[in-house]
Amino acid sequence: QVQLHQWGTGLLKPSETLSLTCAVYGGPFNAYHWTWIRQSPGKGLEWIGDINHRGSRSYNPSVRGRITISVDTSENQVSLTLTSVTAADTAVYYCASSRFFFEYWGQGTLVSVSS
Amino acid sequence: QSVLTQPPSVSGAPGQRVTISCTGSTSNIGAGYDVHWYQQLPGTAPKLLIYLNTNRPPGVPDRFSGSKSGTSASLAISGLQAEDEGDYYCQSHDTSVSGEVFGGGTKLTVL
């Protein structure tokens, strides 16, 4: 059974950089793409990007230019960096495994951006 | 505004059957991409409910079923139970985003 555990900074000021990490346990790391999805308060889900074990990335145009997703195959970890955050980036951020659909999810990390 | 359109809410009495629609376009569902469904109970992460249009992961009751036709898909829930209350999201791939898109979500209320 694949389990995902994520962590990172929960409170940021505008213009700062969001940084989250997701560790993958119990599964074939190389068998999946690894995805970041966010959910703004009271709103729906938004795919923001993904990466495979080779480092091939796709990003949502809504965050392209500010986002970097990286992978550490030696630690089975995936990281998300989002620069120049604003209040619009306030959301619960989830990491998830992907094979066209999102089978396994992390517990979610609330990131709040406020001055 | 979401790329995939879902009704904001549906409701039904215990034991009844409800359906949730997911309408897309020729850049996603209509282009032949599969549709997947997620259930999000209050305060929890989404959970995969239906994948590749009609398939249930292990542990998902057969009260949940999915279908797809043309530019739309549907999730049906029969034998409604109080524990089914929550939000439901559809998801597919979209060529204009070159990535994944979700519906806006449907809140299910069991009366």
Side-chain angles (χ1 to χ4, degrees):
Chain A
Q1 178 77 356
V2 177
Q3 295 187 359
L4 283 66
H5 177 70
Q6 53 183 108
W7 65 91
T9 308
L11 184 59
L12 296 169
K13 290 181 168 52
S15 81
E16 292 185 336
T17 296
L18 179 159
S19 182
L20 299 174
T21 301
C22 174
V24 180
Y25 303 99
F29 188 79
N30 294 349
Y32 298 92
H33 286 191
W34 301 99
T35 298
W36 289 94
I37 294 163
R38 68 182 180 182
Q39 185 170 33
S40 300
K43 299 290 179 61
L45 301 166
E46 180 185 28
W47 170 84
I48 56 173
D50 64 30
I51 191 170
N52 67 13
H53 68 281
R54 295 188 211 88
S56 177
R57 303 169 177 85
S58 294
Y59 296 142
N60 192 315
S62 69
V63 293
R64 196 171 289 150
R66 298 195 295 130
I67 186 174
T68 301
I69 297 177
S70 58
V71 63
D72 183 340
T73 55
S74 66
E75 297 285 342
N76 284 6
Q77 292 180 358
V78 186
S79 296
L80 168 69
T81 301
L82 188 65
T83 61
S84 304
V85 297
T86 70
D89 295 311
T90 293
V92 175
Y93 287 75
Y94 296 99
C95 59
S97 67
S98 173
R99 289 187 297 184
F100 306 110
F101 49 89
F102 307 116
E103 186 171 6
Y104 303 105
W105 294 69
Q107 79 276 20
T109 302
L110 175 60
V111 176
S112 296
V113 180
S114 175
S115 55
Chain B
Q1 190 161 341
S2 300
V3 174
L4 305 178
T5 301
Q6 298 179 233
S9 63
V10 297
S11 63
Q16 285 189 333
R17 180 178 186 270
V18 297
T19 61
I20 299 172
S21 61
C22 174
T23 302
S25 67
T26 54
S27 66
N28 42 68
I29 299 174
Y33 292 104
D34 295 309
V35 178
H36 322 289
W37 292 89
Y38 303 86
Q39 176 193 60
Q40 186 174 33
L41 301 179
T44 69
K47 167 192 167 185
L48 180 65
L49 199 63
I50 297 288
Y51 65 97
L52 300 176
N53 307 312
T54 60
N55 298 278
R56 285 184 304 276
V60 174
D62 60 7
R63 302 187 294 105
F64 296 90
S65 62
S67 64
K68 174 193 163 187
S69 178
T71 57
S72 297
S74 289
L75 172 70
I77 310 172
S78 60
L80 269 180
Q81 299 180 3
E83 66 203 51
D84 298 333
E85 271 205 352
D87 297 320
Y88 292 80
Y89 294 90
C90 61
Q91 173 243 322
S92 187
H93 183 83
D94 189 282
T95 55
S96 60
V97 176
S98 294
E100 308 308 308
V101 292
F102 288 94
T106 299
K107 183 175 183 58
L108 169 63
T109 300
V110 181
L111 303 171

